[in-house]
mmCIF file of all heavy atoms in Angstrom:
data_model
loop_
_atom_site.group_PDB
_atom_site.id
_atom_site.type_symbol
_atom_site.label_atom_id
_atom_site.label_comp_id
_atom_site.label_asym_id
_atom_site.label_seq_id
_atom_site.Cartn_x
_atom_site.Cartn_y
_atom_site.Cartn_z
ATOM 1 N N LYS A 208 -13.514 -13.419 -66.388
ATOM 2 C CA LYS A 208 -13.941 -14.421 -65.413
ATOM 3 C C LYS A 208 -14.702 -15.573 -66.051
ATOM 4 O O LYS A 208 -14.599 -16.723 -65.589
ATOM 5 C CB LYS A 208 -14.811 -13.748 -64.343
ATOM 6 C CG LYS A 208 -15.346 -14.698 -63.288
ATOM 7 C CD LYS A 208 -16.164 -13.965 -62.239
ATOM 8 C CE LYS A 208 -16.712 -14.922 -61.180
ATOM 9 N NZ LYS A 208 -17.487 -14.204 -60.128
ATOM 10 N N TYR A 209 -15.465 -15.299 -67.113
ATOM 11 C CA TYR A 209 -16.337 -16.328 -67.681
ATOM 12 C C TYR A 209 -15.794 -16.914 -68.993
ATOM 13 O O TYR A 209 -16.493 -17.668 -69.669
ATOM 14 C CB TYR A 209 -17.734 -15.765 -67.908
ATOM 15 C CG TYR A 209 -18.396 -15.305 -66.631
ATOM 16 C CD1 TYR A 209 -18.480 -13.947 -66.318
ATOM 17 C CD2 TYR A 209 -18.892 -16.222 -65.708
ATOM 18 C CE1 TYR A 209 -19.058 -13.514 -65.140
ATOM 19 C CE2 TYR A 209 -19.470 -15.806 -64.528
ATOM 20 C CZ TYR A 209 -19.556 -14.448 -64.243
ATOM 21 O OH TYR A 209 -20.139 -14.028 -63.063
ATOM 22 N N GLU A 210 -14.582 -16.564 -69.361
ATOM 23 C CA GLU A 210 -13.997 -17.172 -70.552
ATOM 24 C C GLU A 210 -13.650 -18.630 -70.248
ATOM 25 O O GLU A 210 -13.364 -18.973 -69.106
ATOM 26 C CB GLU A 210 -12.749 -16.384 -70.978
ATOM 27 C CG GLU A 210 -13.112 -15.050 -71.606
ATOM 28 C CD GLU A 210 -12.000 -14.477 -72.473
ATOM 29 O OE1 GLU A 210 -10.817 -14.688 -72.151
ATOM 30 O OE2 GLU A 210 -12.329 -13.824 -73.471
ATOM 31 N N PRO A 211 -13.676 -19.520 -71.259
ATOM 32 C CA PRO A 211 -13.895 -19.231 -72.682
ATOM 33 C C PRO A 211 -15.366 -19.205 -73.108
ATOM 34 O O PRO A 211 -15.661 -19.019 -74.267
ATOM 35 C CB PRO A 211 -13.174 -20.392 -73.361
ATOM 36 C CG PRO A 211 -13.398 -21.535 -72.421
ATOM 37 C CD PRO A 211 -13.343 -20.946 -71.039
ATOM 38 N N ASN A 212 -16.287 -19.352 -72.160
ATOM 39 C CA ASN A 212 -17.703 -19.420 -72.519
ATOM 40 C C ASN A 212 -18.254 -18.060 -72.955
ATOM 41 O O ASN A 212 -18.920 -17.933 -73.984
ATOM 42 C CB ASN A 212 -18.507 -19.957 -71.333
ATOM 43 C CG ASN A 212 -19.904 -20.372 -71.714
ATOM 44 O OD1 ASN A 212 -20.109 -21.013 -72.731
ATOM 45 N ND2 ASN A 212 -20.870 -20.013 -70.894
ATOM 46 N N ILE A 213 -17.976 -17.012 -72.155
ATOM 47 C CA ILE A 213 -18.417 -15.653 -72.464
ATOM 48 C C ILE A 213 -17.169 -14.803 -72.682
ATOM 49 O O ILE A 213 -16.388 -14.590 -71.749
ATOM 50 C CB ILE A 213 -19.278 -15.059 -71.332
ATOM 51 C CG1 ILE A 213 -20.447 -15.991 -70.992
ATOM 52 C CG2 ILE A 213 -19.800 -13.682 -71.721
ATOM 53 C CD1 ILE A 213 -21.309 -15.512 -69.826
ATOM 54 N N LEU A 214 -16.971 -14.316 -73.887
ATOM 55 C CA LEU A 214 -15.750 -13.603 -74.220
ATOM 56 C C LEU A 214 -15.723 -12.224 -73.574
ATOM 57 O O LEU A 214 -16.736 -11.521 -73.530
ATOM 58 C CB LEU A 214 -15.626 -13.460 -75.739
ATOM 59 C CG LEU A 214 -15.638 -14.774 -76.546
ATOM 60 C CD1 LEU A 214 -15.435 -14.487 -78.022
ATOM 61 C CD2 LEU A 214 -14.589 -15.749 -76.024
ATOM 62 N N LYS A 215 -14.550 -11.810 -73.101
ATOM 63 C CA LYS A 215 -14.452 -10.543 -72.376
ATOM 64 C C LYS A 215 -14.743 -9.338 -73.259
ATOM 65 O O LYS A 215 -15.201 -8.300 -72.760
ATOM 66 C CB LYS A 215 -13.089 -10.411 -71.700
ATOM 67 C CG LYS A 215 -11.885 -10.451 -72.615
ATOM 68 C CD LYS A 215 -10.614 -10.414 -71.774
ATOM 69 C CE LYS A 215 -9.367 -10.481 -72.618
ATOM 70 N NZ LYS A 215 -8.141 -10.498 -71.766
ATOM 71 N N GLU A 216 -14.533 -9.475 -74.577
ATOM 72 C CA GLU A 216 -14.843 -8.339 -75.458
ATOM 73 C C GLU A 216 -16.343 -8.107 -75.604
ATOM 74 O O GLU A 216 -16.775 -7.081 -76.136
ATOM 75 C CB GLU A 216 -14.200 -8.515 -76.839
ATOM 76 C CG GLU A 216 -14.553 -9.792 -77.554
ATOM 77 C CD GLU A 216 -13.466 -10.844 -77.414
ATOM 78 O OE1 GLU A 216 -12.863 -10.943 -76.313
ATOM 79 O OE2 GLU A 216 -13.229 -11.563 -78.390
ATOM 80 N N TRP A 217 -17.159 -9.047 -75.128
ATOM 81 C CA TRP A 217 -18.608 -8.865 -75.183
ATOM 82 C C TRP A 217 -19.116 -7.946 -74.073
ATOM 83 O O TRP A 217 -20.274 -7.523 -74.098
ATOM 84 C CB TRP A 217 -19.311 -10.214 -75.073
ATOM 85 C CG TRP A 217 -19.114 -11.109 -76.267
ATOM 86 C CD1 TRP A 217 -18.526 -10.782 -77.455
ATOM 87 C CD2 TRP A 217 -19.499 -12.477 -76.372
ATOM 88 N NE1 TRP A 217 -18.518 -11.870 -78.306
ATOM 89 C CE2 TRP A 217 -19.105 -12.929 -77.670
ATOM 90 C CE3 TRP A 217 -20.115 -13.388 -75.529
ATOM 91 C CZ2 TRP A 217 -19.326 -14.221 -78.119
ATOM 92 C CZ3 TRP A 217 -20.343 -14.686 -75.960
ATOM 93 C CH2 TRP A 217 -19.952 -15.099 -77.251
ATOM 94 N N ALA A 218 -18.277 -7.648 -73.093
ATOM 95 C CA ALA A 218 -18.721 -6.869 -71.925
ATOM 96 C C ALA A 218 -19.299 -5.514 -72.318
ATOM 97 O O ALA A 218 -20.274 -5.049 -71.715
ATOM 98 C CB ALA A 218 -17.553 -6.675 -70.958
ATOM 99 N N SER A 219 -18.726 -4.887 -73.340
ATOM 100 C CA SER A 219 -19.196 -3.557 -73.750
ATOM 101 C C SER A 219 -20.564 -3.603 -74.402
ATOM 102 O O SER A 219 -21.205 -2.559 -74.581
ATOM 103 C CB SER A 219 -18.191 -2.923 -74.718
ATOM 104 O OG SER A 219 -18.097 -3.679 -75.913
ATOM 105 N N LYS A 220 -21.049 -4.801 -74.742
ATOM 106 C CA LYS A 220 -22.351 -4.955 -75.392
ATOM 107 C C LYS A 220 -23.456 -5.299 -74.401
ATOM 108 O O LYS A 220 -24.609 -5.458 -74.789
ATOM 109 C CB LYS A 220 -22.265 -6.070 -76.449
ATOM 110 C CG LYS A 220 -21.262 -5.821 -77.567
ATOM 111 C CD LYS A 220 -21.718 -4.651 -78.418
ATOM 112 C CE LYS A 220 -20.939 -4.555 -79.702
ATOM 113 N NZ LYS A 220 -21.370 -5.531 -80.716
ATOM 114 N N ILE A 221 -23.099 -5.443 -73.126
ATOM 115 C CA ILE A 221 -24.061 -5.895 -72.115
ATOM 116 C C ILE A 221 -24.224 -4.807 -71.062
ATOM 117 O O ILE A 221 -23.265 -4.417 -70.393
ATOM 118 C CB ILE A 221 -23.596 -7.207 -71.458
ATOM 119 C CG1 ILE A 221 -23.427 -8.300 -72.528
ATOM 120 C CG2 ILE A 221 -24.584 -7.654 -70.385
ATOM 121 C CD1 ILE A 221 -22.740 -9.558 -72.033
ATOM 122 N N HIS A 222 -25.450 -4.306 -70.916
ATOM 123 C CA HIS A 222 -25.734 -3.216 -69.979
ATOM 124 C C HIS A 222 -26.729 -3.725 -68.927
ATOM 125 O O HIS A 222 -27.836 -4.149 -69.282
ATOM 126 C CB HIS A 222 -26.317 -2.021 -70.728
ATOM 127 C CG HIS A 222 -25.534 -1.653 -71.963
ATOM 128 N ND1 HIS A 222 -24.349 -0.954 -71.912
ATOM 129 C CD2 HIS A 222 -25.751 -1.939 -73.279
ATOM 130 C CE1 HIS A 222 -23.872 -0.792 -73.148
ATOM 131 N NE2 HIS A 222 -24.711 -1.374 -73.984
ATOM 132 N N VAL A 223 -26.327 -3.704 -67.682
ATOM 133 C CA VAL A 223 -27.189 -4.153 -66.583
ATOM 134 C C VAL A 223 -27.529 -2.939 -65.720
ATOM 135 O O VAL A 223 -26.644 -2.269 -65.189
ATOM 136 C CB VAL A 223 -26.510 -5.241 -65.730
ATOM 137 C CG1 VAL A 223 -27.466 -5.718 -64.633
ATOM 138 C CG2 VAL A 223 -26.063 -6.415 -66.595
ATOM 139 N N ILE A 224 -28.827 -2.654 -65.584
ATOM 140 C CA ILE A 224 -29.314 -1.473 -64.880
ATOM 141 C C ILE A 224 -30.172 -1.914 -63.694
ATOM 142 O O ILE A 224 -30.951 -2.865 -63.804
ATOM 143 C CB ILE A 224 -30.155 -0.581 -65.826
ATOM 144 C CG1 ILE A 224 -29.390 -0.288 -67.118
ATOM 145 C CG2 ILE A 224 -30.573 0.705 -65.118
ATOM 146 C CD1 ILE A 224 -28.094 0.455 -66.930
ATOM 147 N N SER A 225 -30.035 -1.205 -62.586
ATOM 148 C CA SER A 225 -30.797 -1.548 -61.391
ATOM 149 C C SER A 225 -32.289 -1.313 -61.597
ATOM 150 O O SER A 225 -32.704 -0.269 -62.090
ATOM 151 C CB SER A 225 -30.304 -0.715 -60.207
ATOM 152 O OG SER A 225 -31.050 -1.026 -59.049
ATOM 153 N N ASN A 226 -33.078 -2.295 -61.221
ATOM 154 C CA ASN A 226 -34.534 -2.218 -61.339
ATOM 155 C C ASN A 226 -35.121 -2.037 -59.941
ATOM 156 O O ASN A 226 -35.415 -2.992 -59.247
ATOM 157 C CB ASN A 226 -35.081 -3.485 -61.990
ATOM 158 C CG ASN A 226 -36.576 -3.404 -62.228
ATOM 159 O OD1 ASN A 226 -37.160 -2.335 -62.193
ATOM 160 N ND2 ASN A 226 -37.194 -4.541 -62.475
ATOM 161 N N ARG A 227 -35.282 -0.799 -59.546
ATOM 162 C CA ARG A 227 -35.687 -0.511 -58.169
ATOM 163 C C ARG A 227 -37.071 0.121 -58.091
ATOM 164 O O ARG A 227 -37.358 0.884 -57.187
ATOM 165 C CB ARG A 227 -34.658 0.406 -57.502
ATOM 166 C CG ARG A 227 -33.276 -0.199 -57.389
ATOM 167 C CD ARG A 227 -32.294 0.756 -56.748
ATOM 168 N NE ARG A 227 -30.951 0.213 -56.687
ATOM 169 C CZ ARG A 227 -30.495 -0.542 -55.710
ATOM 170 N NH1 ARG A 227 -31.289 -0.847 -54.696
ATOM 171 N NH2 ARG A 227 -29.271 -0.999 -55.719
ATOM 172 N N ASN A 228 -37.928 -0.167 -59.047
ATOM 173 C CA ASN A 228 -39.254 0.459 -58.965
ATOM 174 C C ASN A 228 -40.294 -0.541 -58.468
ATOM 175 O O ASN A 228 -39.993 -1.700 -58.182
ATOM 176 C CB ASN A 228 -39.655 1.079 -60.314
ATOM 177 C CG ASN A 228 -39.986 0.048 -61.366
ATOM 178 O OD1 ASN A 228 -40.321 -1.086 -61.043
ATOM 179 N ND2 ASN A 228 -39.892 0.420 -62.622
ATOM 180 N N GLN A 229 -41.527 -0.078 -58.392
ATOM 181 C CA GLN A 229 -42.596 -0.872 -57.783
ATOM 182 C C GLN A 229 -42.984 -2.093 -58.603
ATOM 183 O O GLN A 229 -43.699 -2.970 -58.112
ATOM 184 C CB GLN A 229 -43.831 0.014 -57.608
ATOM 185 C CG GLN A 229 -44.529 0.394 -58.922
ATOM 186 C CD GLN A 229 -45.188 1.735 -58.873
ATOM 187 O OE1 GLN A 229 -44.510 2.756 -58.831
ATOM 188 N NE2 GLN A 229 -46.509 1.753 -58.871
ATOM 189 N N TYR A 230 -42.516 -2.176 -59.836
ATOM 190 C CA TYR A 230 -42.921 -3.287 -60.699
ATOM 191 C C TYR A 230 -41.874 -4.390 -60.800
ATOM 192 O O TYR A 230 -42.003 -5.297 -61.603
ATOM 193 C CB TYR A 230 -43.226 -2.756 -62.105
ATOM 194 C CG TYR A 230 -44.213 -1.626 -62.127
ATOM 195 C CD1 TYR A 230 -43.871 -0.375 -62.637
ATOM 196 C CD2 TYR A 230 -45.497 -1.795 -61.610
ATOM 197 C CE1 TYR A 230 -44.780 0.666 -62.650
ATOM 198 C CE2 TYR A 230 -46.410 -0.752 -61.607
ATOM 199 C CZ TYR A 230 -46.046 0.482 -62.131
ATOM 200 O OH TYR A 230 -46.941 1.508 -62.136
ATOM 201 N N LYS A 231 -40.815 -4.316 -59.989
ATOM 202 C CA LYS A 231 -39.687 -5.229 -60.156
ATOM 203 C C LYS A 231 -40.052 -6.688 -59.928
ATOM 204 O O LYS A 231 -39.374 -7.585 -60.435
ATOM 205 C CB LYS A 231 -38.525 -4.831 -59.242
ATOM 206 C CG LYS A 231 -38.816 -4.893 -57.754
ATOM 207 C CD LYS A 231 -37.611 -4.409 -56.958
ATOM 208 C CE LYS A 231 -37.860 -4.471 -55.455
ATOM 209 N NZ LYS A 231 -38.945 -3.569 -55.028
ATOM 210 N N ASP A 232 -41.112 -6.957 -59.166
ATOM 211 C CA ASP A 232 -41.489 -8.348 -58.886
ATOM 212 C C ASP A 232 -42.733 -8.803 -59.659
ATOM 213 O O ASP A 232 -43.238 -9.903 -59.434
ATOM 214 C CB ASP A 232 -41.731 -8.521 -57.384
ATOM 215 C CG ASP A 232 -40.466 -8.312 -56.567
ATOM 216 O OD1 ASP A 232 -39.401 -8.764 -57.018
ATOM 217 O OD2 ASP A 232 -40.541 -7.677 -55.495
ATOM 218 N N VAL A 233 -43.210 -7.956 -60.569
ATOM 219 C CA VAL A 233 -44.388 -8.323 -61.368
ATOM 220 C C VAL A 233 -43.980 -9.328 -62.448
ATOM 221 O O VAL A 233 -42.947 -9.174 -63.098
ATOM 222 C CB VAL A 233 -45.007 -7.070 -62.026
ATOM 223 C CG1 VAL A 233 -46.151 -7.469 -62.957
ATOM 224 C CG2 VAL A 233 -45.491 -6.105 -60.960
ATOM 225 N N SER A 234 -44.794 -10.340 -62.642
ATOM 226 C CA SER A 234 -44.558 -11.312 -63.709
ATOM 227 C C SER A 234 -45.896 -11.778 -64.275
ATOM 228 O O SER A 234 -46.929 -11.670 -63.614
ATOM 229 C CB SER A 234 -43.772 -12.528 -63.197
ATOM 230 O OG SER A 234 -44.583 -13.317 -62.338
ATOM 231 N N SER A 235 -45.856 -12.288 -65.487
ATOM 232 C CA SER A 235 -47.087 -12.788 -66.109
ATOM 233 C C SER A 235 -47.676 -13.940 -65.314
ATOM 234 O O SER A 235 -48.903 -14.055 -65.175
ATOM 235 C CB SER A 235 -46.795 -13.232 -67.553
ATOM 236 O OG SER A 235 -46.456 -12.129 -68.366
#
Side-chain angles (χ1 to χ4, degrees):
K208 179 178 180 179
Y209 299 103
E210 287 201 327
N212 194 44
I213 306 177
L214 303 183
K215 60 184 179 182
E216 56 261 38
W217 292 352
S219 64
K220 299 293 193 78
I221 301 170
H222 312 282
V223 182
I224 309 299
S225 179
N226 184 16
R227 298 179 183 273
N228 72 22
Q229 70 211 70
Y230 307 120
K231 63 183 181 296
D232 295 320
V233 175
S234 70
S235 293

